[in-house]
Amino acid sequence: MDLATLRSLEPQEFEQAADGYRATGDMAGAAKDHIENVVVAGMRKSLKGNSLEAAVGELKQLSANFHYTQIECGLVSTALNAFAHDLAAARRKLLSALDAAEASNFTVHADGSVTYPDGSPHKGPQTPARGGTIGSLTDPTAQAVARQAANSDPNPHHAEALGLADRIAHALKEAAEADAKWAPKIRALKADDDLTVSDADLKDAQSDMRGVREAGKEYLASIGGPPADATPRENADWWEGLAPEERSAYLAAHPEVVGELDGLPAEIRDEANRVVFEETRSEYRLRLDSLPKPPADEWTWITAGTYPTRVHTDEWMAWNRKHGDEYRHLTASLKGMTAIQNRFDDTGNEGLPEAYLLQFSPEGNGRAVIATGNPDTAQHQAVYVPGTTSKLEKIGGDINRMTELWRQTAETSPDASVSTITWLGYDAPQSVVKDAPFEHYAYDGAPAYRDFLDGLDASHSGTGEPHRTAIGHSYGTTLIGAAAETGTLNADDVIFAGSPGVKVGHADEMDVPKGHVWNQEADGDPVPDLGRWGHGGSSWRLGGGVFLIPSDEEAFGAHQMNTGPEGVGSSGTKGATGHSEYWNRGTTALKNQALVVVGKYGYVTAPE
């Protein structure tokens, strides 16, 4: 990097190349979405059997290639823009120094040295002030010596020329450092020469992302991240204020941040979270493959006293101490990721619309928020909170509940636009006995649930205001009650199923319009009667009242919805029984929920 190179350099050429890569990435992303949501979905409507599955398998590989292209082109675009940003900053410093030298009638030479005129009144020979090498003027000791010499020189131009030479040297040094920093990062953004996107490829993409993010810190800082502790509306305003290339850069370098932001469009959050999802899944599979498998003989029998006792083998115990926790975490997380991928692959099956991954993290028990149908354009939104024992490993069952609810709304009201959302955005209690009696899980998760509902408002782009229903099952109803008790619940209806209690003493305290709280209790569900002792609200007032009110009692004031089979002359729906059948296909419980979700309240049936 020399003076002539930096002076003639055009950073916009790199920015134009970045625009080209960004456009290519956008085309790849559009092709991926078209394959998954149009081509495969259309094939599922007309084809069945082995031919369909073989074709879908080929298309999934093609879709994976497009997605990988989208990820890598986003990183190349970001790297080139960041490189141009670093070079432009150095070039501005150089041009500023050159302009100052010209204004003082100094001569700047190709090596960066500066010649200044004699400071005496008469014209005499010019005295050169050499800039020296880049290292000499950027070294603090050399600078101190040079400044001491300048201070003792009677020529008033000496110090000014020395300063200009110093500025030129610094500009060249910054440009050289940028070039050295970015050259290996950009060279690394190259795919291997095959047509298979492997786990190793995606792990490499994850490494590429870290490299671009680290090298591009100053560029990303110049864009500015989302405000700290922002509301969903503030998140939306931040995103809307970014230029297209800035959005692309932040999405490529920080998908884990973009995917978490309530208030951003569902398509953007989905794009960000799909990157995190794919790279995490590949990383976890590689990590799991690298671990030794558990010993085949896990148990053995020993005689302790009179009776034989089964205990773990010594080999298994040694393996468990070293690898057990990681093995179980990876296995459980990958099970949940498989369920999420199955929902992606299910698009088009029985008319299911595309899925949107609105939050994802494997940390701890995991987080996952999955929408069936785009909530930003939907007329009706339903946001379901699962209860005790919910975690990423078990997300498949909760996703299926919301796909069944979506199918039922499509049958109930074919013209309605509906998005049903599984919201596992909190740490649910994991034990019915040890954890579920405690209320802190509900109160800890309530703010995140409220933010998510507010975010649906901020990102909605459909006509009119959406109709939103909050749905809870088991401990999930307790969280919704805590959310209403401690803040504003941005919902129009609330549905409770198998509720152990919702912390408040009356339906009117649920922060929705009067008469818009609905409750279901199936025959044989023990949770409502048992749970009231831990989470039932109270309407106690001076002079009397009721303690520990579950949501199925008349004193609570909710509409009770039928969960049993409908009578003679009905459509023949089945009854739901126990604690887990409220979303079973063909049940009265599911039908009544769908009627509330689409706003057809007059058709909801009450228990006989």
Side-chain angles (χ1 to χ4, degrees), residues 62-87:
L62 181 59
S63 176
N65 276 318
F66 278 128
H67 193 207
Y68 179 70
T69 302
Q70 179 187 19
I71 293 171
E72 288 292 286
C73 282
L75 291 173
V76 175
S77 176
T78 301
L80 290 172
N81 273 323
F83 179 46
H85 173 271
D86 290 351
L87 287 181

Side-chain angles (χ1 to χ4, degrees), residues 230-370:
T231 65
R233 181 67 263 172
E234 289 169 339
N235 288 335
D237 290 341
W238 167 74
W239 185 257
E240 291 167 4
L242 298 181
E245 65 274 11
E246 293 173 331
R247 292 180 185 177
S248 176
Y250 221 85
L251 188 58
H254 288 292
E256 79 291 350
V257 174
V258 174
E260 290 277 340
L261 292 178
D262 293 316
L264 266 59
E267 291 184 349
I268 298 300
R269 295 184 70 175
D270 177 66
E271 181 180 342
N273 285 314
R274 296 272 188 129
V275 174
V276 177
F277 175 82
E278 292 288 358
E279 294 183 351
T280 301
R281 186 167 55 151
S282 294
E283 176 198 347
Y284 274 37
R285 285 194 293 224
L286 291 170
R287 284 171 57 187
L288 185 61
D289 288 344
S290 70
L291 293 178
K293 299 297 183 285
D297 297 326
E298 180 179 351
W299 300 95
T300 188
W301 291 91
I302 63 172
T303 300
T306 307
Y307 300 101
T309 302
R310 194 172 74 148
V311 298
H312 287 294
T313 63
D314 291 341
E315 294 79 8
W316 188 91
M317 289 295 292
W319 171 88
N320 185 58
R321 283 191 294 269
K322 190 171 183 180
H323 306 292
D325 288 344
E326 184 179 9
Y327 183 88
R328 283 184 288 272
H329 173 70
L330 295 173
T331 303
S333 298
L334 285 168
K335 181 180 178 181
M337 292 182 221
T338 298
I340 294 172
Q341 183 62 54
N342 289 342
R343 172 58 193 91
F344 296 156
D345 296 341
D346 216 20
T347 295
N349 188 11
E350 297 186 52
L352 273 185
E354 60 270 32
Y356 294 82
L357 187 59
L358 304 181
Q359 187 179 5
F360 173 76
S361 171
E363 300 302 319
N365 289 326
R367 296 280 193 275
V369 178
I370 302 98

Side-chain angles (χ1 to χ4, degrees), residues 578-602:
H579 190 56
S580 302
E581 294 187 0
Y582 294 98
W583 291 272
N584 281 15
R585 186 177 295 196
T587 59
T588 306
L590 183 61
K591 178 182 176 181
N592 277 328
Q593 285 195 38
L595 288 167
V596 173
V597 168
V598 298
K600 293 187 173 182
Y601 309 118

Side-chain angles (χ1 to χ4, degrees), residues 45-254:
K45 292 179 181 178
S46 56
L47 299 176
K48 293 185 182 299
N50 294 335
S51 297
L52 171 64
E53 296 311 316
V56 167
E58 295 283 346
L59 288 168
K60 285 171 65 176
Q61 283 193 333
L62 181 59
S63 176
N65 276 318
F66 278 128
H67 193 207
Y68 179 70
T69 302
Q70 179 187 19
I71 293 171
E72 288 292 286
C73 282
L75 291 173
V76 175
S77 176
T78 301
L80 290 172
N81 273 323
F83 179 46
H85 173 271
D86 290 351
L87 287 181
R91 185 170 180 269
R92 284 193 298 272
K93 293 178 181 179
L94 174 65
L95 296 181
S96 173
L98 294 178
D99 289 343
E102 183 179 4
S104 297
N105 293 319
F106 292 177
T107 301
V108 178
H109 301 283
D111 63 353
S113 61
V114 178
T115 299
Y116 59 94
D118 188 344
S120 60
H122 60 83
K123 290 184 178 181
Q126 290 189 323
T127 305
R130 304 296 295 180
T133 62
I134 293 176
S136 66
L137 280 179
T138 55
D139 178 71
T141 302
Q143 288 176 345
V145 172
R147 282 176 173 74
Q148 186 176 9
N151 291 334
S152 63
D153 193 319
N155 189 329
H157 299 307
H158 188 169
E160 182 184 358
L162 182 63
L164 289 173
D166 200 10
R167 289 166 58 186
I168 292 169
H170 274 287
L172 292 173
K173 180 174 182 290
E174 286 185 19
E177 289 175 346
D179 190 51
K181 175 179 70 174
W182 280 110
K185 303 297 183 186
I186 293 175
R187 289 194 189 103
L189 299 172
K190 182 179 180 180
D192 53 18
D193 189 15
D194 59 40
L195 293 177
T196 301
V197 178
S198 65
D199 288 338
D201 289 330
L202 287 166
K203 182 181 179 182
D204 182 64
Q206 194 177 45
S207 175
D208 290 342
M209 181 190 300
R210 288 193 292 266
V212 171
R213 185 164 53 205
E214 176 63 25
K217 285 188 296 186
E218 292 184 10
Y219 170 63
L220 294 168
S222 72
I223 295 174
D229 302 319
T231 65
R233 181 67 263 172
E234 289 169 339
N235 288 335
D237 290 341
W238 167 74
W239 185 257
E240 291 167 4
L242 298 181
E245 65 274 11
E246 293 173 331
R247 292 180 185 177
S248 176
Y250 221 85
L251 188 58
H254 288 292

